[in-house]
Coordinates of all heavy atoms in Angstrom, one line a residue:
Y962 N -7.3 -4.7 5.6 CA -7.3 -3.3 5.5 C -8.6 -2.8 5.6 O -8.9 -1.6 5.9 CB -6.6 -2.8 4.1 CG -5.1 -3.2 4.1 CD1 -4.6 -4.3 3.3 CD2 -4.2 -2.3 4.8 CE1 -3.3 -4.5 3.3 CE2 -2.9 -2.6 4.7 CZ -2.4 -3.7 4.0 OH -1.1 -4.0 4.0
L963 N -9.7 -3.5 5.0 CA -11.1 -3.1 5.1 C -11.6 -3.2 6.5 O -12.2 -2.3 7.2 CB -11.9 -4.0 4.2 CG -13.4 -4.0 4.3 CD1 -14.0 -2.5 4.2 CD2 -14.1 -4.9 3.3
G966 N -8.5 -2.1 9.3 CA -8.0 -0.6 9.0 C -9.3 0.2 9.0 O -9.6 0.9 9.9
F967 N -9.8 0.2 7.8 CA -11.0 1.1 7.6 C -12.1 0.9 8.7 O -12.5 1.9 9.4 CB -11.6 1.0 6.2 CG -12.9 1.8 5.9 CD1 -12.7 3.2 5.7 CD2 -14.1 1.3 6.0 CE1 -13.8 4.0 5.6 CE2 -15.2 2.1 5.9 CZ -15.0 3.4 5.7
G968 N -12.7 -0.3 8.8 CA -13.7 -0.5 9.7 C -13.4 -0.1 11.1 O -14.3 0.6 11.7
H969 N -12.3 -0.5 11.6 CA -11.9 -0.1 12.8 C -11.9 1.5 13.1 O -12.5 2.0 14.1 CB -10.6 -0.7 13.3 CG -10.2 -0.3 14.6 ND1 -10.7 -1.2 15.7 CD2 -9.5 0.5 15.3 CE1 -10.3 -0.7 16.9 NE2 -9.6 0.4 16.6
F970 N -11.2 2.2 12.3 CA -11.1 3.6 12.5 C -12.3 4.3 12.1 O -12.6 5.4 12.7 CB -9.9 4.1 11.7 CG -8.5 3.7 12.4 CD1 -7.7 2.7 12.0 CD2 -8.1 4.3 13.6 CE1 -6.6 2.2 12.7 CE2 -7.0 4.0 14.4 CZ -6.3 2.9 13.8
Y971 N -13.1 3.9 11.2 CA -14.2 4.6 10.8 C -15.4 4.5 11.6 O -16.2 5.3 12.0 CB -14.6 4.4 9.3 CG -15.8 5.2 8.7 CD1 -15.6 6.5 8.4 CD2 -17.1 4.6 8.6 CE1 -16.7 7.3 8.0 CE2 -18.1 5.3 8.2 CZ -18.0 6.6 7.8 OH -19.0 7.3 7.4
A972 N -15.5 3.1 12.0 CA -16.8 2.8 12.8 C -16.5 2.5 14.3 O -17.5 2.9 15.1 CB -17.4 1.5 12.1
Y973 N -15.4 1.9 14.6 CA -15.3 1.4 16.0 C -14.4 2.2 16.9 O -14.5 2.2 18.2 CB -14.7 0.1 16.0 CG -15.6 -0.9 15.3 CD1 -15.0 -2.0 14.5 CD2 -17.1 -0.8 15.3 CE1 -15.8 -2.9 13.8 CE2 -17.8 -1.8 14.6 CZ -17.1 -2.7 14.0 OH -18.0 -3.7 13.2
K977 N -12.6 9.8 16.1 CA -12.2 9.8 14.7 C -11.0 10.5 14.4 O -10.9 11.7 14.7 CB -13.4 10.4 13.9 CG -14.8 9.8 14.2 CD -15.0 8.4 13.7 CE -16.3 7.8 14.3 NZ -16.1 6.5 14.7
Y978 N -10.0 9.9 13.8 CA -8.8 10.5 13.4 C -8.8 10.5 11.9 O -8.9 9.5 11.1 CB -7.7 9.7 13.8 CG -7.6 9.6 15.4 CD1 -7.9 8.5 16.0 CD2 -7.2 10.6 16.1 CE1 -7.9 8.4 17.4 CE2 -7.3 10.7 17.5 CZ -7.6 9.5 18.1 OH -7.6 9.4 19.5
E979 N -8.4 11.8 11.3 CA -8.5 11.9 9.8 C -7.4 11.0 9.1 O -7.6 10.4 8.1 CB -8.2 13.3 9.4 CG -8.4 13.6 8.0 CD -8.3 15.1 7.7 OE1 -8.3 15.9 8.7 OE2 -8.2 15.5 6.5
Y980 N -6.2 11.0 9.7 CA -5.0 10.3 9.1 C -5.4 8.9 8.7 O -5.3 8.4 7.6 CB -3.8 10.5 10.0 CG -2.7 9.7 9.3 CD1 -2.1 10.2 8.2 CD2 -2.3 8.5 9.9 CE1 -1.1 9.4 7.6 CE2 -1.3 7.8 9.3 CZ -0.5 8.2 8.2 OH 0.4 7.4 7.6
P981 N -5.8 8.0 9.8 CA -6.0 6.6 9.4 C -7.2 6.3 8.7 O -7.2 5.6 7.7 CB -6.1 5.8 10.8 CG -6.5 7.0 11.8 CD -5.7 8.2 11.3
I982 N -8.3 7.3 8.8 CA -9.5 7.1 8.0 C -9.1 7.4 6.5 O -9.5 6.7 5.5 CB -10.6 8.1 8.5 CG1 -11.1 7.5 9.9 CG2 -11.8 8.1 7.4 CD1 -12.2 8.3 10.6
N983 N -8.5 8.4 6.3 CA -8.0 8.7 4.9 C -7.2 7.6 4.3 O -7.5 7.2 3.2 CB -7.1 10.1 4.8 CG -7.9 11.2 4.6 OD1 -9.0 11.1 4.2 ND2 -7.3 12.4 4.9
R984 N -6.2 7.2 5.1 CA -5.3 6.0 4.5 C -6.1 4.8 4.2 O -5.9 4.3 3.1 CB -4.2 5.8 5.6 CG -3.3 4.7 5.3 CD -2.2 4.6 6.3 NE -1.5 3.2 6.2 CZ -0.4 3.1 5.3 NH1 -0.1 4.1 4.5 NH2 0.2 2.0 5.2
F985 N -7.0 4.4 5.1 CA -7.6 3.1 4.7 C -8.8 3.3 3.8 O -9.2 2.4 3.2 CB -8.1 2.5 6.1 CG -6.9 2.0 6.9 CD1 -6.6 2.5 8.0 CD2 -6.1 1.0 6.4 CE1 -5.5 2.1 8.8 CE2 -5.0 0.5 7.1 CZ -4.7 1.1 8.4
T986 N -9.4 4.5 3.8 CA -10.5 4.8 2.8 C -9.8 4.8 1.3 O -10.4 4.0 0.5 CB -11.1 6.2 3.0 OG1 -11.7 6.2 4.3 CG2 -12.2 6.5 2.0
M987 N -8.7 5.3 1.3 CA -7.9 5.2 -0.1 C -7.8 3.8 -0.4 O -8.1 3.4 -1.7 CB -6.6 5.9 0.1 CG -5.7 5.9 -1.0 SD -6.0 7.5 -1.9 CE -5.2 8.7 -0.9
E988 N -7.3 3.0 0.4 CA -7.0 1.5 0.1 C -8.3 0.8 -0.2 O -8.4 0.0 -1.1 CB -6.2 0.9 1.2 CG -6.1 -0.6 1.2 CD -5.3 -0.9 -0.2 OE1 -4.9 -0.1 -0.9 OE2 -5.2 -2.3 -0.3
V989 N -9.4 1.0 0.6 CA -10.6 0.2 0.4 C -11.3 0.6 -0.9 O -11.7 -0.1 -1.7 CB -11.6 0.5 1.7 CG1 -13.0 -0.1 1.2 CG2 -11.0 -0.2 2.9
K990 N -11.1 1.9 -1.2 CA -11.8 2.4 -2.6 C -10.9 1.7 -3.8 O -11.5 1.4 -4.7 CB -11.9 3.8 -2.7 CG -13.1 4.4 -1.8 CD -13.3 5.9 -1.9 CE -13.9 6.1 -3.3 NZ -15.3 6.0 -3.5
R991 N -9.7 1.6 -3.6 CA -8.8 1.0 -4.5 C -9.1 -0.4 -4.7 O -9.3 -1.0 -5.8 CB -7.2 1.2 -4.2 CG -6.3 0.8 -5.2 CD -4.9 0.7 -4.7 NE -4.9 -0.3 -3.8 CZ -4.6 -1.7 -4.2 NH1 -4.6 -2.0 -5.5 NH2 -4.6 -2.7 -3.3
L993 N -12.0 -1.9 -4.0 CA -13.4 -1.9 -4.6 C -13.3 -1.7 -6.3 O -13.9 -2.4 -7.0 CB -14.3 -0.8 -4.1 CG -14.9 -1.2 -2.7 CD1 -15.5 0.0 -2.1 CD2 -16.0 -2.4 -2.9
L1025 N -20.4 -4.6 2.1 CA -20.1 -3.3 2.0 C -21.0 -2.6 1.0 O -21.6 -1.5 1.2 CB -18.6 -3.1 1.5 CG -17.9 -1.8 1.9 CD1 -17.8 -1.6 3.4 CD2 -16.3 -2.1 1.4
V1026 N -21.2 -3.3 -0.2 CA -22.0 -2.6 -1.2 C -23.5 -2.9 -1.1 O -24.3 -2.0 -1.7 CB -21.6 -3.0 -2.6 CG1 -20.1 -2.5 -2.9 CG2 -21.7 -4.5 -2.9
H1028 N -25.1 -4.1 2.1 CA -25.7 -4.0 3.4 C -25.1 -2.9 4.3 O -25.2 -3.0 5.5 CB -25.4 -5.4 4.1 CG -26.2 -6.5 3.4 ND1 -27.6 -6.5 3.3 CD2 -25.7 -7.4 2.6 CE1 -27.9 -7.6 2.6 NE2 -26.8 -8.2 2.1
N1029 N -24.5 -1.9 3.7 CA -24.1 -0.7 4.5 C -23.1 -1.1 5.6 O -23.3 -0.6 6.7 CB -25.3 0.0 5.0 CG -25.0 1.5 5.4 OD1 -23.9 2.0 4.9 ND2 -25.8 2.1 6.2
L1030 N -22.3 -2.2 5.4 CA -21.2 -2.5 6.4 C -20.5 -1.3 6.9 O -20.1 -0.4 6.1 CB -20.4 -3.6 5.8 CG -19.2 -4.1 6.6 CD1 -19.8 -5.0 7.8 CD2 -18.3 -5.0 5.7
Y1031 N -20.4 -1.2 8.2 CA -19.6 -0.1 8.9 C -20.4 1.2 8.6 O -19.8 2.3 8.9 CB -18.2 0.0 8.4 CG -17.3 -1.2 8.6 CD1 -16.7 -1.7 7.5 CD2 -17.3 -1.8 9.9 CE1 -15.9 -3.0 7.7 CE2 -16.5 -3.0 10.0 CZ -15.9 -3.5 8.9 OH -15.1 -4.6 9.1
D1032 N -21.7 1.2 8.2 CA -22.4 2.4 8.0 C -21.6 3.2 7.0 O -21.7 4.5 7.2 CB -22.6 3.2 9.3 CG -24.0 3.7 9.5 OD1 -24.8 3.6 8.5 OD2 -24.3 4.2 10.5
A1033 N -21.1 2.7 6.1 CA -20.1 3.4 5.1 C -20.5 3.5 3.8 O -19.8 3.9 2.9 CB -18.7 2.9 5.3
A1034 N -21.7 3.0 3.4 CA -22.1 3.0 2.0 C -22.1 4.3 1.3 O -21.5 4.4 0.2 CB -23.6 2.3 1.9
E1035 N -22.6 5.3 2.0 CA -22.5 6.7 1.3 C -21.1 7.3 1.4 O -20.7 7.7 0.3 CB -23.5 7.6 2.2 CG -23.8 8.9 1.4 CD -24.7 9.8 2.3 OE1 -25.2 9.4 3.3 OE2 -24.9 10.9 1.8
F1036 N -20.4 7.1 2.4 CA -19.1 7.7 2.6 C -18.2 7.1 1.5 O -17.3 7.8 0.9 CB -18.5 7.3 3.9 CG -17.2 7.8 4.2 CD1 -16.9 9.2 4.3 CD2 -16.1 7.0 4.3 CE1 -15.7 9.7 4.8 CE2 -14.8 7.4 4.6 CZ -14.6 8.8 4.8
L1037 N -18.3 5.8 1.2 CA -17.5 5.2 0.1 C -18.0 5.2 -1.2 O -17.4 4.7 -2.2 CB -17.1 3.6 0.6 CG -16.5 3.4 1.9 CD1 -16.4 2.0 2.2 CD2 -15.0 3.9 1.7
D1038 N -19.2 5.7 -1.4 CA -20.0 5.8 -2.6 C -20.0 4.4 -3.2 O -19.7 4.3 -4.5 CB -19.3 6.8 -3.5 CG -20.1 7.1 -4.8 OD1 -21.3 6.8 -4.8 OD2 -19.6 7.5 -5.8
V1039 N -20.4 3.5 -2.5 CA -20.4 2.1 -2.9 C -21.2 1.8 -4.2 O -20.9 0.9 -5.0 CB -20.8 1.0 -1.8 CG1 -19.8 1.0 -0.7 CG2 -22.2 1.3 -1.4
A1040 N -22.4 2.5 -4.4 CA -23.3 2.3 -5.6 C -22.5 2.6 -6.8 O -22.8 2.1 -8.0 CB -24.4 3.3 -5.4
S1041 N -21.3 3.3 -6.8 CA -20.6 3.6 -8.1 C -19.9 2.3 -8.6 O -19.4 2.2 -9.7 CB -19.7 4.8 -8.0 OG -18.8 4.5 -6.9
Y1042 N -19.7 1.3 -7.7 CA -18.9 0.1 -8.2 C -20.0 -0.9 -8.7 O -20.4 -1.9 -8.0 CB -18.1 -0.4 -7.0 CG -17.2 0.5 -6.4 CD1 -17.6 1.3 -5.4 CD2 -16.0 0.7 -7.1 CE1 -16.6 2.3 -4.9 CE2 -15.0 1.7 -6.7 CZ -15.4 2.5 -5.6 OH -14.5 3.4 -5.0

Side-chain angles (χ1 to χ4, degrees):
Y962 293 103
L963 166 57
F967 174 78
H969 183 82
F970 285 102
Y971 183 74
Y973 300 144
K977 305 295 171 221
Y978 298 107
E979 186 178 352
Y980 174 73
I982 290 176
N983 268 343
R984 177 176 168 82
F985 291 116
T986 299
M987 180 93 74
E988 172 61 4
V989 168
K990 285 186 71 76
R991 193 191 65 80
L993 283 164
L1025 210 52
V1026 300
H1028 300 294
N1029 202 16
L1030 181 63
Y1031 304 126
D1032 221 358
E1035 191 179 358
F1036 183 72
L1037 295 172
D1038 188 21
V1039 296
S1041 64
Y1042 303 97

